[in-house]
Amino acid sequence: MSGRVGDLSPKQAETLAKFRENVQDVLPALPNPDDYFLLRWLRARNFDLQKSEAMLRKYMEFRKTMDIDHILDWQPPELGRKIDTIVMIFDCEGLGLKHFWKPLVEMYQEFFGLLEENYPETLKSMLIVKATRLFPVGYNLMKPFLSEDTRRKIVVLGSNWKEGLLKLISPEELPAHFGGTLKDPDGNPKCLTKINYGGEIPKSMYVRDQVKTQYEHSVQISRSSSHQVEYEILFPGCVLRWQFSSDGGDIGFGVFLKTKMGEQQRAGDMTEVLVSQRYNAHMVPEDGSLTCSEAGVYVLRFDNTYSFVHAKKISFTVEVLLPDEGMQKYDKELTPV
């Protein structure tokens, strides 16, 4: 049995009744604590009564902390039918390295963790369209914050994604932009009156210009010298991500690929994959990333050879982001960045 209203086994129905009895004290504080609502929490924990109750009570603490009951006065329109789950289309067009900025990824992780803990079993399926070759890396970053059940609901559609969507969604309910027949009254295929599309956040909405960063390493680079850190990449498709700041003036930075293993190499003897240039990292912290097109040892080089007087202190964090192995089978369908 699916564990949904109208499709419960006798054991599931008994658990539902017991669950309602156990959480009777918190139900009055909820807007609509019907069976649809309670079954979401039971399905999320495979009808484990104790775990479901603990999850719901934690959610009640979340509602109180976030003042959910007063966050909006808006009331949703009456749809005439109960909406139990949703189908989400995740359009990856434009997904690039800028979306792997560490503070942004951490925000994604917090967001997905919040959804998992407080809005269980609301997702029927997530359909990924126009995925780039960076998608397996992004998915691997989010995977620890998704339950196994949620992961099974993620479907990556290939180059024929419009046909794939129409197999799962009625054409009259799918915007023409995604292959359906639904349009705005003015004929707009994106249905802008129904869908709020994302985009870059205008600078007028910035709270501050910089994000305070905790760095994992720091090193003092003497005048007229440099410092190199090596990272071994075992297979193509991995992403090198870095953040650094300098104290004492600007600093040169570049990324190289070693041509000889097991020995120290000068910059001129290696293959330059990111052109070395000077950054005012003493004024604004620098961050960036690189998709590694081949396996090998990559060298991040901090260059202070041009400074004949000043030493520099460099604080930095470097990470290697791995693509999800299970997503590698989609490589032939994924769009190059």
Side-chain angles (χ1 to χ4, degrees):
M1 310 296 282
S2 68
R4 301 181 185 277
V5 173
D7 191 30
L8 298 175
S9 68
K11 179 65 174 177
Q12 289 172 334
E14 180 184 344
T15 303
L16 173 60
K18 182 64 175 176
F19 185 43
R20 180 177 288 279
E21 179 183 340
N22 287 0
V23 298
Q24 193 67 41
D25 59 307
V26 301
L27 296 185
L30 293 166
N32 190 21
D34 56 13
D35 287 350
Y36 292 91
F37 176 83
L38 293 180
L39 284 170
R40 280 170 42 202
W41 304 90
L42 288 170
R43 290 197 305 272
R45 292 297 180 264
N46 296 316
F47 279 78
D48 184 305
L49 193 60
Q50 185 175 358
K51 291 181 179 179
S52 298
E53 181 178 346
M55 189 181 188
L56 178 57
R57 291 189 181 281
K58 186 176 180 180
Y59 167 69
M60 296 304 297
E61 295 176 8
F62 165 79
R63 288 183 65 91
K64 183 178 180 180
T65 301
M66 302 300 293
D67 197 21
I68 297 295
D69 293 327
H70 303 98
I71 199 169
L72 287 176
D73 293 326
W74 176 78
Q75 293 294 324
E78 182 59 49
L79 298 176
R81 56 195 172 104
K82 186 71 178 181
I83 303 298
D84 194 22
T85 57
I86 63 172
V87 174
M88 180 183 297
I89 299 175
F90 199 96
D91 187 349
C92 293
E93 184 174 18
L95 177 67
L97 291 173
K98 66 180 180 181
H99 298 107
F100 290 83
W101 182 46
K102 185 175 172 60
L104 185 60
V105 170
E106 290 172 348
M107 187 197 73
Y108 293 154
Q109 293 170 336
E110 183 177 350
F111 172 73
F112 280 111
L114 183 148
L115 290 181
E116 284 282 295
E117 292 181 3
N118 299 288
Y119 300 95
E121 289 298 301
T122 55
L123 181 68
K124 181 177 181 180
S125 58
M126 178 185 290
L127 310 175
I128 310 297
V129 302
K130 292 181 275 186
T132 71
R133 287 178 180 166
L134 283 174
F135 174 75
V137 177
Y139 176 75
N140 206 32
L141 287 170
M142 298 301 112
K143 191 168 68 172
F145 298 86
L146 304 175
S147 66
E148 185 61 38
D149 189 48
T150 298
R151 295 177 205 168
R152 287 195 294 266
K153 297 174 182 177
I154 298 175
V155 180
V156 181
L157 300 177
S159 56
N160 60 340
W161 56 269
K162 288 187 178 181
E163 296 177 17
L165 290 178
L166 288 171
K167 292 179 181 178
L168 300 166
I169 304 174
S170 300
E172 63 273 13
E173 296 181 352
L174 183 66
H177 176 67
F178 292 110
T181 59
L182 184 64
K183 296 182 179 180
D184 267 345
D186 63 358
N188 192 310
K190 287 191 172 183
C191 301
L192 297 180
T193 62
K194 299 179 176 66
I195 301 174
N196 291 319
Y197 288 83
E200 290 192 12
I201 299 174
K203 290 188 176 181
S204 60
M205 299 183 68
Y206 286 10
V207 176
R208 56 183 181 273
D209 293 329
Q210 298 180 22
V211 176
K212 189 175 182 180
T213 304
Q214 296 285 340
Y215 297 101
E216 294 181 358
H217 309 283
S218 63
V219 61
Q220 189 81 9
I221 304 179
S222 304
R223 60 187 179 88
S224 304
S225 65
S226 64
H227 179 74
Q228 297 182 174
V229 288
E230 298 183 359
Y231 291 87
E232 184 175 7
I233 301 300
L234 299 178
F235 48 86
C238 296
V239 172
L240 265 175
R241 182 174 67 180
W242 58 82
Q243 293 178 288
F244 64 86
S245 65
S246 59
D247 185 11
D250 65 351
I251 190 72
F253 177 79
V255 181
F256 300 81
L257 180 61
K258 294 185 73 170
T259 57
K260 293 183 180 180
M261 300 300 107
E263 62 181 69
Q264 186 82 9
Q265 284 188 287
R266 298 169 61 89
D269 299 326
M270 297 184 288
T271 301
E272 191 174 44
V273 293
L274 180 69
V275 177
S276 186
Q277 57 180 307
R278 291 165 67 171
Y279 293 91
N280 291 319
H282 60 302
M283 300 173 64
V284 179
E286 186 67 30
D287 63 82
S289 53
L290 170 75
T291 302
C292 302
S293 59
E294 59 182 291
V297 176
Y298 286 75
V299 177
L300 281 65
R301 181 174 182 267
F302 296 98
D303 180 18
N304 195 37
T305 57
Y306 56 86
S307 180
F308 296 105
V309 178
H310 299 290
K312 312 284 174 61
K313 179 183 178 182
I314 306 301
S315 301
F316 65 94
T317 297
V318 181
E319 297 173 280
V320 178
L321 309 180
L322 305 177
D324 179 71
E325 292 181 5
M327 290 292 174
Q328 294 303 297
K329 60 184 178 181
Y330 297 105
D331 275 355
K332 294 181 180 179
E333 295 283 0
L334 302 184
T335 306
V337 178

